[in-house]
Amino acid sequence: MTVGASGPAAVQGALARAPSGGPEAPQSDTLTPAPPPIPAAPGPHSPGSPPADAEGAAAAGLGIDPDDLPDGLVVADEHGRVICFNAAAARITAVPLSAALGRPLDEALPLEDLKGRRWWALTDPYGGLATRVGQPERNLLLPGGREVLVSARYVRTRPTGPVRRLVICVRGTEARRRTERSHAELIATVAHELRSPLTSVKGFTATLLAKWERFTDDQKRLMLETVDADANRVTRLIAELLDISRIDSGRLEVRRQPVDIGAAVGRHVQAHTAAGQSPDRFLVRIRQPLPDLWADPDKIDQILGNLLENAVRHGEGTVTIEVSAASLQRAETTEKGTSVTVCDEGPGIPEESMGRVFTRFWRGSKRGGTGLGLYIVKGVVEAHGGTITVGRGPGGGAQFRFILPVGAPAYLK
């Protein structure tokens, strides 16, 4: 049988078209006669003699079993008795299948809202306003405090008619909790990272304002330089947060221009040596010829800055930067690209952590940083249509390699 649709919405449509299946069910002239139900073998949602209408609807309308759905599906008939309870619903609610099928809905799923009110008595799906079409997703509680996300659809034979089927989707709260934890971690990290420089700025400015005459010019200069550095740190953190917002929402803009990637690498190495790093610590290899690279210069500086800072701060020994031509593999084609590899000779990244390097807040050591830099690097590289990988370098340290496609934008060709 061909599968025409999938998911709870399609199951709802199939159930809406299915015959009631019971001799006491009311018949309506507005219903189109459906084919006889296809017998189903006893399964996890049909012990003994399963309700023929639910099984027939699932088989005739979808060609798949309700147990194939990733979310919990619960269906009650016009009398409020459960006629379908798939495996996901049993797993998410921890309600045994035998305790749900054939029972009244308020007994099979005794849900309460967060104020302790009985949900089915509160919403009254069968006796409430006839214009309602369902209930939006809500966070509800089962006995024992188990949290579930529940939404409902009221299936009627005609507008404002009686409820023929009540189709309920049940989901776990794990994904939402992970998102909430991620947001909480972001807020905590931002608060911590902002508190330190702002405390320094506040302290030095208050001291200078109160005791300006007591300090020498050199002392004043040192305090103001510290304030300037901390202000730059705050600005950088805010820029990182804005980048994360754009990456997550898919709004990161790339303004492509010709970029001399070798010169960009040289500028960043020079900046590190000017900040006190030994020139002998850096080894730059530019393998000519390089194809013309069109990319966003500011974003390229952001990528190189993060990778070199990561190598200098967390790595050891010589930091090697190699730029060369490369091929970028697509689904069916191969494009020309430019490859940049940055590796150090430090302890490297443990194998078990390789898969988490580009996630938020991952830190390879306790040497500072927000843990957002590599997450942003990956987002910027992918916004250019490129790829980035992490591995172990020849010297045993961490090795990051990104490849960007080359060539002028389509509007210039």
Side-chain angles (χ1 to χ4, degrees):
M1 180 177 292
T2 302
V3 178
S6 62
V11 174
Q12 293 171 16
L15 291 168
R17 295 189 298 270
S20 166
E24 75 284 2
Q27 301 296 321
S28 172
D29 294 337
T30 61
L31 289 176
T32 302
I38 299 175
H45 57 281
S46 56
S49 299
D53 55 350
E55 291 292 339
L62 293 175
I64 61 173
D65 192 277
D67 288 344
D68 295 332
L69 299 175
D71 293 334
L73 174 68
V74 182
V75 183
D77 63 11
E78 64 270 27
H79 306 296
R81 291 188 176 274
V82 176
I83 60 173
C84 181
F85 200 85
N86 72 348
R91 172 180 52 82
I92 293 169
T93 63
V95 175
L97 204 57
S98 59
L101 281 176
R103 297 185 62 189
L105 184 61
D106 58 350
E107 295 180 9
L109 281 181
L111 296 168
E112 295 182 353
D113 66 9
L114 300 182
K115 296 182 179 179
R117 298 174 295 186
R118 296 179 64 84
W119 183 244
W120 301 120
L122 184 67
T123 57
D124 192 13
Y126 292 95
L129 291 174
T131 56
R132 295 181 303 169
V133 296
Q135 290 288 338
E137 189 172 72
R138 294 286 299 271
N139 191 2
L140 301 176
L141 301 175
L142 284 163
R146 178 183 289 265
E147 293 186 31
V148 290
L149 299 172
V150 179
S151 58
R153 172 73 182 274
Y154 303 160
V155 180
R156 307 175 188 274
T157 59
R158 63 181 185 280
T160 72
V163 173
R164 177 79 179 277
R165 294 285 187 271
L166 183 60
V167 183
I168 302 132
C169 180
V170 183
R171 298 194 299 126
T173 59
E174 292 81 5
R176 177 172 293 185
R177 286 187 175 182
R178 285 195 297 268
T179 301
E180 291 174 351
R181 281 197 300 270
S182 177
H183 289 165
E185 289 174 357
L186 180 61
I187 293 171
T189 300
V190 171
H192 174 75
E193 293 294 328
L194 287 176
R195 184 185 298 116
S196 178
L198 289 179
T199 299
S200 173
V201 168
K202 177 62 177 176
F204 279 122
T205 54
T207 301
L208 286 172
L209 289 172
K211 303 176 181 179
W212 179 266
E213 297 81 4
R214 300 185 185 182
F215 296 107
T216 65
D217 288 346
D218 289 341
Q219 290 173 327
K220 293 174 183 176
R221 176 178 294 276
L222 178 61
M223 291 185 183
L224 290 175
E225 287 175 348
T226 304
V227 168
D228 183 63
D230 286 334
N232 288 337
R233 181 177 167 187
V234 172
T235 302
R236 185 167 59 251
L237 177 61
I238 293 173
E240 287 181 348
L241 295 175
L242 291 174
D243 286 335
I244 287 176
S245 174
R246 295 187 184 105
I247 290 170
D248 289 346
S249 62
R251 295 184 292 106
L252 187 66
E253 296 183 359
V254 175
R255 297 179 174 86
R256 298 182 185 272
Q257 302 175 31
V259 174
D260 187 340
I261 190 69
V265 169
R267 288 197 307 272
H268 283 276
V269 170
Q270 186 177 8
H272 279 282
T273 56
Q277 293 291 329
S278 171
D280 296 335
R281 191 176 181 189
F282 299 94
L283 175 61
V284 179
R285 296 179 181 149
I286 309 294
R287 302 190 180 276
Q288 300 289 351
L290 293 176
D292 295 333
L293 174 63
W294 284 72
D296 189 318
D298 293 335
K299 299 293 189 294
I300 295 298
D301 283 337
Q302 191 174 20
I303 295 170
L304 294 174
N306 273 295
L307 293 181
L308 285 178
E309 182 179 356
N310 184 75
V312 170
R313 175 181 294 180
H314 304 291
E316 298 173 3
T318 302
V319 176
T320 303
I321 305 102
E322 182 173 314
V323 183
S324 63
S327 297
L328 191 62
Q329 299 293 331
R330 298 296 186 188
E332 298 179 355
T333 60
T334 301
E335 297 182 23
K336 292 182 178 180
T338 297
S339 167
V340 179
T341 304
V342 179
C343 61
D344 60 72
E345 298 175 343
I349 300 170
E351 291 293 334
E352 62 271 15
S353 299
M354 289 289 187
R356 298 185 288 111
V357 167
F358 297 109
T359 58
R360 290 184 185 181
F361 310 118
W362 183 86
R363 293 181 177 89
S365 69
K366 298 181 180 179
R367 300 181 185 177
T370 61
L372 301 175
L374 293 177
Y375 177 82
I376 294 173
V377 165
K378 183 175 185 290
V380 172
V381 169
E382 291 179 347
H384 280 82
T387 61
I388 184 168
T389 57
V390 60
R392 190 169 295 276
Q399 175 177 285
F400 292 89
R401 183 173 188 251
F402 67 91
I403 303 176
L404 300 179
V406 300
Y411 64 87
L412 293 178
K413 294 181 179 179

